Structure formats: structure tokens, C-alpha cells
């Protein structure tokens, strides 16, 4: 071993460079190779291919709607985790948590507002995204299955939004969920049982709040994250975004 | 590149009537475009994606600084609000339920979800992919638009035109 090269002093001098190089894999080579390695050397970017078709960049084609849906989801997850530090899923405490957020927690109102408005926006934008996919015929072969995954994502978005709606435990929440879950009772044969399963009782109460809470912060977000992963991976496997035939 | 390397890469064949005149360094004619209109994901797509995130974040933050999320009185199981409305995205269904609970609340949503799931397997015609409102699929476009319009109209009626006891109520009267 060459002591000069591996001296402690030298290591300390090269610390920034070495740390940087250990985190970021440098591709080296030509400019394009370097750019390629930015994408495939990064966990968060490697779902992308190294090159994409020009049509993919056309804002007028996708209108960015799928990506906007995804970004709203990211904002919801981050603001939701922060809200969890203040929210207590009990019928005696939940409403007080809302008041705390509004009056006691620094920027608590903004946090709650962001979570609420992003949730409403997400329902709308996922729907718009579905319309875009329909009107550009992007559900056709070979993308049929990704459309099906998308429909599941739409339903998940609705359920996430619906389960979150109860959590503030105010009149708006209580009666909206009462009305909403009443619809379930019209399912033939098992309607009442289904509603009982959702609410953990015959009325919206502590059990219902807890069930909606667990679904809202654990079960549905995990399913959502997994399905979004499948959705993005399928885009790649289906040959990138749909586009008209090249002339 | 060294001249000797060029010689090696492209050796002059004695039986050839042509020879390589020279290699020019520089941008290809289609600057920044590969074959088949492909471009590098980084920076072209990645930069646009990050920009869009900034826009979305700023808009949501801006809206949240101006408008407060609603918070009514604490929940009271003994005092129902009148009317009690579902969240806006289910109000269209609630409007249908007010006509017929079973047809509106179960059959209609079931048919909608099932048709959406089956759509790509029922419409096997490959025409029109990648084109907005392609004229080759008028029937599908009309049907889907009808669905979208009916949903929006139902939501608007339920949200804005329904008052106490779910009676029609004109907001401007
Ligand atoms: C949580 C909800 C969803 C998220 C986050 C999401 C995200 C995305 C993203 C980022 C893309 C890339 C293109 C673009 O940005 O528009 C995309 C494409 C696609 N999405 Fe979604 N999506 C969601 C829901 C849906 C729904 C509801 C459908 C349809 C029922 C759907 C069907 C598709 C299809 C078929 C593609 C491929 C489009 C093409 O090749 O042009 N997605 N999605």
C-alpha cells in the first residue's frame, strides 16, 4: 500500500470530493453519456428512459395533467404526515385538533388548508387526466392495462378523499359521511352489513372515525403508492407515452 | 482525433474507388435531436418536470394563504344539517339517489365503473392514438363527452341548486 496516497491528511483534503463521488455516480464519457447517467444513476429518475420522444415534452399533448396529479399526491403526503403530529382520532379530541391547528400551531392553518385544497384539486385533476387519456385515445393497445390501473387510481383517490372528509369531526364531515355511507345500504342483500363494516357500528361514531383514520393514513396511501409505482412502470413498459405515428 | 487513428478506423482499401475525405467535429445537423425525434431526458424532460412542480406547489401554497378550509360546528348526531350534502364529487351520485336510491346509488355508479374498466377491451379499433379528438372516433368521443357533461351537470345541480329537504332552490332568488 502506498502510504502517501492513503494518508489521513490527504483523505481529509479530498473528503468533499470523495463524499460527492460516492453519492453521485458519475458517468464520465461524452456529454450525452454524462446526461444519460444522471437519469439511470438516480433512483428517482430511473423510471424515465434515457431518451424520450419530443411529443412527450409537448405540454399541449398531456397538459401535464398526470404529473400534476402526482405532485398533488406528493404535497398531500407531506402535509398529511405533518398534520398527523397534531391530529388525534378521537371524537372528543379531533375537533379540538382542528382548532389547535387554526389558532395554536405555527402555520397550522396553512398546513390544513394545503392538505384540504390539494385533496380537492387532486380529485379534479385525476378526472381531467382521465379525460386527456380518453380524448387522445391513449388507452388503446398496448396501454389497456394501464388504463385499468388508472381507473383503480381514480377510485382510490375518491376513497382517500372521502375517508379524510370525516376526520375534522365537524357538522360538515359528520353529515356528509352519514349521507355517503347511507348510499351503501342500497346494495342488494348485504347493504346494511356493508355499512356496518365501514362504520364499525350502525352510526357514525368513534369506531367509524378510527376506521376512516386508519384507512386514510395507512391502508389507502400504501395501496396508492404501490399502484402509482405500477402505473409509472407500465408507462415505460408500454413504450413511453402514446404519440401519433411518425411521418 | 489523430490522423493516424482515422487511417486505422477507415483503412484505404486498394480496391475501392472512394475514400474518406475527412471527419468534421461539431454539432450534427439536427442539433440536440437524436434519430426519430428523441431527445435526452436530462435536461429536457427533467427540467420541465421540476418547473411544473414549482408551479403546482406555489399555486397550492398561494390558495392556502388566501382561502381557509371550511370548519363548521363540532359534529352533533342529534342535529342534522339540512340539507346534508356528500362531498362535491359524490353530490352527482346523491342527486341520482334522490330520483331512485337503488338505480342512482348502486346501478349507475356500478355501470360507470364497469364501463370505464372495460372500455379499452371493448374499443379495439387502433385508430386515432396520440391525436386529440381524432375525427376517426366520433362515436366514442360523443359518448364519453355525454358522460362527462352529465356528471358535471348533476354535480352542479346537487351542489348549487339543492336546498333544505333536497328541494330545488335558486341561489339568486
Ligand atoms: C392518482 C392518479 C393518477 C396519477 C398520479 C397518474 C399519473 C400519470 C402520469 C404522470 C402519466 C404520464 C403522462 C401525463 O403526465 O399525463 C400518466 C399516464 C397515463 N395515465 Fe395516469 N395517473 C393517474 C390516474 C389515471 C387514471 C384515472 C387513468 C385512466 C382511467 C390513467 C391512465 C393513464 C394512461 C393510459 C396513461 C398513458 C398515457 C399515454 O401513454 O399517453 N391514469 N399517468
Amino acid at each position: 500500500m502506498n502510504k502517501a496516497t492513503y494518508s489521513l491528511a490527504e483523505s481529509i483534503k479530498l473528503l468533499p470530493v470523495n463524499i460527492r463521488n460516492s453519492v453521485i455516480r458519475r458517468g464520465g464519457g461524452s456529454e450525452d453519456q454524462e446526461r444519460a447517467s444522471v437519469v439511470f444513476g438516480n433512483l428517482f429518475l430511473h423510471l424515465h428512459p434515457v431518451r424520450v420522444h419530443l411529443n412527450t415534452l409537448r405540454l399541449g399533448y398531456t397538459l401535464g395533467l398526470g404529473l400534476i396529479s402526482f405532485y398533488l399526491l406528493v404535497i398531500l403526503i407531506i402535509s398529511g404526515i405533518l398534520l398527523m403530529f397534531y391530529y388525534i382520532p378521537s371524537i372528543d379530541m379531533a375537533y379540538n385538533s382542528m382548532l389547535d391547528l387554526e389558532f395554536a400551531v405555527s402555520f397550522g392553518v396553512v398546513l390544513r388548508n394545503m392538505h384540504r385544497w390539494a385533496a380537492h384539486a387532486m380529485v379534479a385533476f385525476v378526472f381531467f387526466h382521465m379525460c386527456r387519456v380518453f380524448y387522445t385515445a391513449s388507452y388503446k393497445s398496448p396501454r389497456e392495462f394501464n388504463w385499468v390501473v388508472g381507473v383503480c387510481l381514480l377510485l382510490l383517490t375518491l376513497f382517500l378523499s372521502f375517508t379524510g372528509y370525516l376526520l375534522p369531526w365537524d357538522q360538515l364531515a359528520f353529515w356528509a359521511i352519514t349521507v355517503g355511507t347511507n348510499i351503501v345500504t342500497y346494495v342488494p342483500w348485504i347493504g346494511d352489513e356493508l355499512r356496518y363494516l365501514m362504520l364499525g357500528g350502525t352510526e357514525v361514531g368513534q369506531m367509524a372515525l378510527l376506521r376512516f383514520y386508519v384507512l386514510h393514513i395507512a391502508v389507502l396511501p400504501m395501496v396508492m403508492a404501490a399502484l402509482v409505482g405500477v402505473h409509472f412502470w407500465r408507462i415505460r413498459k408500454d413504450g413511453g407515452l402514446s404519440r401519433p405515428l411518425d411521418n | 482525433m489523430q490522423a493516424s487513428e482515422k487511417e486505422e478506423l477507415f483503412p484505404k482499401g486498394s480496391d475501392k474507388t472512394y475514400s474518406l475525405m475527412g471527419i468534421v467535429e461539431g454539432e450534427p445537423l439536427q442539433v440536440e435531436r437524436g434519430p426519430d425525434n428523441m431527445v435526452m431526458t436530462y435536461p429536457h424532460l427533467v427540467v420541465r418536470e421540476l418547473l411544473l412542480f414549482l408551479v403546482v406547489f406555489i399555486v397550492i401554497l398561494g390558495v392556502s394563504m388566501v382561502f381557509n378550509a371550511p370548519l363548521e360546528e363540532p359534529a352533533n348526531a342529534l342535529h342534522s344539517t339540512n340539507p346534508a350534502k356528500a362531498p362535491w364529487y359524490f353530490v352527482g351520485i346523491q342527486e341520482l339517489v334522490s330520483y331512485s336510491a337503488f338505480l342512482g346509488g348502486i346501478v349507475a355508479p356500478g355501470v360507470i365503473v364497469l364501463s370505464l374498466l372495460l372500455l379499452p377491451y371493448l374499443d379495439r379499433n387502433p385508430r386515432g392514438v396520440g391525436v386529440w379528438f381524432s375525427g376517426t372516433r366520433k362515436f366514442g368521443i360523443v359518448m364519453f363527452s355525454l358522460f362527462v357533461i352529465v356528471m358535471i351537470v348533476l354535480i352542479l345541480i346537487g351542489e348549487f341548486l339543492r336546498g333544505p329537504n333536497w328541494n330545488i332552490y335558486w341561489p339568486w332568488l
Side-chain angles (χ1 to χ4, degrees):
Chain A
M1 215 209 277
N2 185 342
K3 273 193 184 134
T5 327
Y6 296 105
S7 78
L8 188 61
E10 192 76 4
S11 302
I12 292 174
K13 214 172 86 191
L14 291 176
L15 203 57
V17 182
N18 283 339
I19 291 179
R20 184 175 183 281
N21 286 350
S22 74
V23 176
I24 302 170
R25 281 201 198 288
R26 306 293 304 270
S30 73
E31 198 185 3
D32 273 0
Q33 283 170 319
E34 188 87 39
R35 289 168 163 189
S37 79
V38 170
V39 174
F40 66 67
N42 181 310
L43 172 70
F44 303 101
L45 293 180
H46 89 287
L47 263 180
H48 285 312
V50 164
R51 291 164 188 275
V52 291
H53 193 273
L54 267 179
N55 190 58
T56 309
L57 302 185
R58 254 179 62 214
L59 200 57
Y61 184 63
T62 62
L63 304 179
L65 293 171
L67 209 53
I68 292 175
S69 310
F70 176 65
Y71 288 154
L72 289 169
L73 178 63
V74 171
I75 292 174
L76 282 164
I77 291 174
I78 294 171
S79 58
I81 289 175
L82 294 175
L83 285 173
M84 279 174 68
F85 283 115
Y86 300 102
Y87 181 80
I88 302 163
S90 123
I91 55 176
D92 299 323
M93 304 291 284
Y95 188 78
N96 289 335
S97 311
M98 295 299 118
L99 297 181
D100 279 352
L101 280 167
E102 195 158 339
F103 299 113
V105 178
S106 316
F107 301 108
V109 201
V110 180
L111 193 61
R112 172 160 184 253
N113 291 348
M114 283 185 78
H115 198 72
R116 173 65 71 116
W117 299 136
H120 283 316
M122 187 170 164
V123 174
F125 274 93
V126 170
F127 190 79
F128 297 151
H129 170 58
M130 182 176 82
C131 295
R132 187 289 280 184
V133 172
F134 180 86
Y135 287 125
T136 59
S138 302
Y139 57 86
K140 296 187 176 184
S141 175
R143 298 183 178 80
E144 304 99 320
F145 182 65
N146 218 13
W147 169 273
V148 174
V149 173
V151 175
C152 298
L153 284 172
L154 174 66
L155 295 178
L156 266 175
T157 307
L158 290 173
F159 286 143
L160 265 166
S161 201
F162 187 66
T163 48
Y165 213 83
L166 180 63
L167 303 186
W169 203 252
D170 62 348
Q171 282 288 71
L172 192 67
F174 186 90
W175 292 103
I177 301 309
T178 302
V179 167
T181 51
N182 267 341
I183 297 178
V184 175
T185 57
Y186 301 120
V187 174
W189 304 300
I190 54 165
D192 289 328
E193 285 77 1
L194 216 55
R195 182 164 191 269
Y196 193 94
L197 183 72
M198 283 177 83
L199 298 182
T202 49
E203 277 181 27
V204 179
Q206 175 62 60
M207 268 305 170
L209 182 59
L210 198 54
R211 280 184 191 202
F212 276 49
Y213 178 72
V214 173
L215 287 174
H216 188 75
I217 62 122
V219 180
L220 296 177
M222 276 195 294
V223 180
M224 177 71 110
L227 263 192
V228 167
V230 174
H231 196 57
F232 288 180
W233 180 76
R234 277 303 293 228
I235 293 175
R236 177 91 187 262
K237 294 292 157 182
D238 294 339
L241 293 195
S242 58
R243 54 176 183 262
L245 291 172
D246 283 320
N247 297 319
Chain B
M1 221 187 262
Q2 298 290 312
S4 57
E5 274 183 61
K6 287 181 195 165
E7 293 277 346
E8 256 184 37
L9 274 170
F10 308 101
K12 279 197 186 107
S14 52
D15 51 339
K16 283 184 187 155
T17 56
Y18 57 87
S19 69
L20 182 76
M21 301 312 287
I23 292 175
V24 184
E25 296 269 331
E27 297 277 9
L29 273 181
Q30 285 186 302
V31 177
E32 291 282 284
R33 279 195 200 183
D36 308 321
N37 288 329
M38 303 294 265
V39 291
M40 294 304 288
T41 301
Y42 179 84
H44 300 287
L45 179 59
V46 174
V47 167
R48 283 167 170 83
E49 288 179 342
L50 290 178
L51 252 167
L52 185 61
F53 178 74
L54 279 184
V55 173
V56 173
F57 185 77
I58 289 170
V59 169
I60 291 290
L61 188 62
V63 170
S64 302
M65 307 243 258
V66 181
F67 301 102
N68 274 345
L71 185 67
E72 297 187 355
E73 303 288 297
N76 184 346
L78 305 175
H79 253 274
S80 81
T81 54
N82 190 1
K85 286 192 186 178
W88 63 267
Y89 37 84
F90 287 148
V91 151
I93 303 292
Q94 196 183 357
E95 175 69 15
L96 286 177
V97 167
S98 74
Y99 309 142
S100 158
F102 179 66
L103 287 182
I106 305 299
V107 177
V111 169
I112 291 173
V113 171
L114 259 181
S115 347
L116 284 178
L117 286 173
L118 288 178
L119 168 74
Y121 304 99
L122 297 178
D123 175 10
R124 300 301 298 171
N125 188 338
R127 275 181 311 186
V129 173
V131 183
W132 273 91
F133 302 112
S134 163
T136 56
R137 40 195 290 270
K138 288 204 181 70
F139 176 73
I141 289 177
V142 169
M143 294 306 286
F144 190 82
S145 305
L146 267 179
F147 157 68
V148 172
I149 292 168
V150 168
M151 283 311 288
I152 292 176
V153 168
L154 284 174
I155 289 177
L156 289 178
I157 294 177
E159 191 66 22
F160 297 112
L161 301 185
R162 289 296 184 180
N165 302 323
W166 210 253
N167 289 328
I168 282 286
Y169 146 94
W170 305 104
W172 51 86
L173 288 186

